[in-house]
Amino acid sequence: MSHDSEGRASRSAASDHARTVAEQADRHALTLESVLAALRSARLSDAAARAEAVEIASAALIELRTATDRQRSSLLEPVTGAFSRLRADLRPLVRFGDLDVQFVEPPTTGRALPGDVAHSARAIVRTAVLALVDDGAARRVRIQWDCDGRNLLMQLRDDGAGALDVHDDAVRPIAERVVALEGTLSVASTPGWGSTVDISLPLDPSPRTAEADTDSDLTDREREVLRLVATGVGNREIAEGLGITLNTVKYHVANLLRKHGARTRAELAAAGART
């Protein structure tokens, strides 16, 4: 094997590892939030709360041991099946949390989703719901999926303060995932009435080249931002360090995700550490 081939294989392995770590972090966060929701529930006795927490943790451990990236990337999931898995993921928060999560079932005739798209879609929704739980302003969120044959269409509508903006830090991890999947995201908010997040993910994203993670086509500013992302600092610190606006940093990060073929900030940081 040539040095170039070995380098590409190494970069691919590092990228896969970073993706796995990021995905597991999302799922662990959901599990912990669900366990806390059960333990804090005023509707359960102490014994019942402990039993529910044990059941949630046990189910998460079983899933962690049996799930593999290969299954996610190679299998197709019916859109209804993928949505049912999302409902199962969020069931503990629905049962024991303060947030009322409502689900609008997708049409049964929708096109099957590639495994990586289905997995990413669930991760995006989980991240959004956890952000709403942390914010505490919303009491109700409606989750709706649909498929137009070429794209998975997702909508989340809450009844919070109506102050959410596409540039908010709470939206940043969601936007980064969507951009990495070559999708689109929009946020519409009405003060006092809530916010609506619309996301479209292509089911057939354009293929990424083997050299997508090189930095030959980066601008000088993008190299500076990538270097700082690799150190683990946040967007606000990057903006202050480079003397640019926060929105400009977010713009550069989105471009870096696209150019490196990265799906999460962790993947991007791993790519930056190798350059």
Side-chain angles (χ1 to χ4, degrees):
M1 181 182 293
S2 67
H3 290 300
D4 288 344
S5 297
E6 291 177 352
R8 285 196 295 270
S10 177
R11 289 193 294 268
S12 177
S15 178
D16 289 343
H17 175 71
R19 182 182 301 119
T20 300
V21 170
E23 291 170 351
Q24 289 179 349
D26 285 342
R27 187 162 293 280
H28 292 338
L30 177 67
T31 299
L32 291 173
E33 288 279 4
S34 300
V35 168
L36 288 174
L39 293 175
R40 292 169 175 169
S41 176
R43 299 193 296 271
L44 296 175
S45 65
D46 288 347
R50 286 195 298 272
E52 191 65 36
V54 169
E55 181 179 343
I56 294 169
S58 298
L61 285 173
I62 292 172
E63 183 174 0
L64 179 63
R65 289 167 180 163
T66 58
T68 65
D69 287 333
R70 179 177 300 174
Q71 289 174 322
R72 285 196 293 266
S73 61
S74 62
L75 300 180
L76 292 175
E77 290 190 50
V79 64
T80 52
F83 194 75
S84 294
R85 289 188 61 184
L86 173 66
R87 294 188 63 162
D89 286 346
L90 296 176
R91 184 174 295 120
L93 288 181
V94 174
R95 292 178 62 188
F96 306 115
D98 295 328
L99 188 67
D100 178 15
V101 183
Q102 302 174 349
F103 299 92
V104 179
E105 294 288 343
T108 57
T109 55
R111 173 184 165 186
L113 308 178
D116 56 346
V117 173
H119 177 79
S120 295
R122 287 192 294 268
I124 287 169
V125 174
R126 290 197 304 267
T127 301
V129 172
L130 289 175
L132 291 175
V133 170
D134 289 340
D135 180 67
R139 290 291 175 264
R140 182 181 298 106
V141 60
R142 189 184 72 169
I143 301 170
Q144 182 173 358
W145 281 17
D146 201 351
C147 183
D148 65 4
R150 294 186 177 182
N151 302 278
L152 173 62
L153 308 175
M154 300 187 293
Q155 183 180 88
L156 293 89
R157 179 178 297 178
D158 69 47
D159 64 347
L164 193 65
D165 183 83
V166 71
H167 298 300
D168 288 350
D169 286 342
V171 181
R172 184 189 68 196
I174 301 171
E176 290 178 353
R177 284 182 180 269
V178 171
V179 169
L181 290 168
E182 302 176 7
T184 61
L185 178 147
S186 64
V187 178
S189 297
T190 303
W193 289 90
S195 301
T196 300
V197 179
D198 285 294
I199 299 169
S200 176
L201 299 180
L203 303 185
D204 301 299
S206 60
R208 299 183 177 91
T209 65
E211 301 300 326
D213 56 358
T214 65
D215 65 350
S216 59
D217 62 342
L218 301 185
T219 66
D220 290 342
R221 180 65 83 188
E222 285 173 343
R223 290 190 180 92
E224 291 177 325
V225 172
L226 179 59
R227 175 178 56 81
L228 292 172
V229 168
T231 67
V233 300
N235 284 355
R236 193 173 301 279
E237 290 80 6
I238 294 175
E240 294 173 353
L242 297 180
I244 58 180
T245 68
L246 182 60
N247 286 342
T248 299
V249 174
K250 294 176 181 178
Y251 172 79
H252 287 314
V253 169
N255 280 340
L256 288 166
L257 285 164
R258 175 178 56 80
K259 290 182 177 182
H260 281 76
R263 298 190 178 186
T264 66
R265 194 181 182 91
E267 288 184 32
L268 185 59
R274 296 192 301 268
T275 57

